[in-house]
Amino acid sequence: MLLQLLTDPPLLFCDEPTTGLDSHNASTVVEKLRQLASRGKTIICSIHQPASDTLSYFHKVILMACGRVAFQGTLSQGHTFFSE
């Protein structure tokens, strides 16, 4: 997969970048976005029901239910929060 950005924006907002992709390709897209983030870009994504391996690429998540924030934090914090 080749991704070219004509300009070098510090922020990318990706609205459902995995829609229509199988789980392998969705994971590949999110992995590439994480690589961009590791180089200093801020990446914001909206993703509906990601597979667990895809979800594991995210540093921080905001989980929403009925239009309201249900949780905000890291995945490990989320695991603790929902376990309690």
Side-chain angles (χ1 to χ4, degrees):
M1 177 180 155
L2 177 62
L3 174 68
Q4 295 181 357
L5 299 172
L6 297 177
T7 61
D8 191 21
L11 171 73
L12 290 177
F13 180 78
C14 304
D15 186 21
E16 300 185 36
T18 61
T19 297
L21 300 177
D22 60 37
S23 61
H24 172 75
N25 286 318
S27 183
T28 299
V29 167
V30 174
E31 180 183 13
K32 296 298 180 189
L33 290 172
R34 182 175 175 136
Q35 289 172 2
L36 288 171
S38 71
R39 289 187 245 149
K41 294 209 180 300
T42 299
I43 312 288
I44 300 171
C45 291
S46 61
I47 295 182
H48 296 104
Q49 298 179 331
S52 59
D53 63 323
T54 301
L55 185 62
S56 69
Y57 286 115
F58 289 91
H59 298 285
K60 295 181 183 174
V61 296
I62 297 174
L63 304 177
M64 299 184 72
C66 300
R68 303 179 118 182
V69 175
F71 172 78
Q72 179 178 349
T74 66
L75 291 177
S76 61
Q77 291 169 335
H79 180 62
T80 302
F81 178 80
F82 287 107
S83 294
E84 295 173 357

